[in-house]
């Protein structure tokens, strides 16, 4: 069992075995530079696809989400970054 877990871990890193090569998919494109606040504060845990698939939220709802991420999940978001982050999240949704 330990061997299988070790093999799976190695395979996830894109190693070539003696008789098998594993090709990993390309990373999806990230967010543009105008969403740097989102990239810096959110993509450590959330993919860009996840972020762009969220339902359209109001500025107040995004502010509550940012506060929740900091308080509940201990996201390392500086309180001084909240306004820029909320602006970027609203803009990401075309608002």
């Amino acid at each position: 069992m330990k061997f299988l877990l070790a093999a799976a871990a190695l395979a996830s890193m894109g190693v070539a075995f003696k008789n098998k090569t594993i090709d990993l998919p390309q990373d999806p494109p990230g967010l543009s530079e105008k969403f740097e606040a989102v990239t810096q504060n959110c993509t450590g845990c959330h993919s860009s696809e996840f972020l762009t698939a969220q339902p359209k939220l109001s500025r107040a709802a995004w502010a509550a989400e940012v506060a929740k991420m900091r308080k509940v999940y201990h996201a390392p978001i500086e309180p001084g970054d909240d306004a820029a982050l909320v602006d970027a999240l609203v803009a990401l949704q075309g608002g």
Side-chain angles (χ1 to χ4, degrees):
M1 181 63 155
K2 287 182 183 179
F3 174 76
L4 292 176
L5 292 175
L10 288 174
S12 70
M13 291 187 275
V15 284
F17 293 98
K18 187 174 181 177
N19 59 357
K20 177 85 173 158
T21 300
I22 298 170
D23 295 318
L24 299 175
Q26 292 291 328
D27 286 336
L31 302 172
S32 72
E33 287 182 20
K34 90 179 196 182
F35 301 111
E36 184 176 351
V38 176
T39 300
Q40 293 295 319
N41 289 289
C42 305
T43 59
C45 297
H46 305 293
S47 69
S48 57
E49 289 89 1
F50 176 82
L51 293 165
T52 56
Q54 295 306 302
K56 191 166 186 172
L57 299 176
S58 68
R59 187 172 302 281
W62 275 121
E65 287 297 312
V66 169
K68 178 181 76 176
M69 290 296 138
R70 182 185 307 107
K71 292 175 186 169
V72 176
Y73 299 106
H74 306 286
I77 302 169
E78 293 295 325
D81 293 340
D82 283 10
L85 181 54
V86 169
D87 288 345
L89 288 164
V90 170
L92 186 63
Q93 295 185 316

